[in-house]
Amino acid sequence: MAPSEYLSAALLIIGGLFFLAGTLGLLRFPDVYTRLHALTKADNVGLGFAVLAVILQAEAWTTVFKLLLIWAVIIAAMTLYGFTQ
């Protein structure tokens, strides 16, 4: 395997751990606001790591642009609806 594949695998694992932490926060925290806060923060970081992992494997710049655009739209939507602070 190439070094970029090892890095992609590591980034995916790190992203998965952030998704897992967000899910645990969703299940564990007592009220809606702390649950949403934990979930959105961890999911945004987890999505960032997952996108970076996929970008390393992308073959075209258009794919990289689309992935970054998807990431930006999700972060903008979270900010617009007040899920992040």
Side-chain angles (χ1 to χ4, degrees):
M1 281 187 9
S4 64
E5 292 177 356
Y6 286 116
L7 184 58
S8 290
L11 289 171
L12 281 175
I13 290 170
I14 292 169
L17 291 174
F18 274 99
F19 283 128
L20 180 64
T23 302
L24 290 175
L26 177 69
L27 297 174
R28 185 154 174 98
F29 285 133
D31 63 7
V32 167
Y33 297 111
T34 55
R35 288 178 182 177
L36 281 177
H37 181 74
L39 185 63
T40 56
K41 295 295 183 183
D43 280 353
N44 283 334
V45 175
L47 178 64
F49 279 113
V51 166
L52 289 175
V54 175
I55 283 175
L56 288 175
Q57 299 299 317
E59 296 180 4
W61 286 104
T62 55
T63 306
V64 171
F65 177 72
K66 288 175 189 176
L67 288 167
L68 291 174
L69 186 63
I70 290 168
W71 189 21
V73 167
I74 290 173
I75 290 174
M78 292 290 187
T79 304
L80 179 67
Y81 291 111
F83 289 131
T84 59
Q85 295 177 351

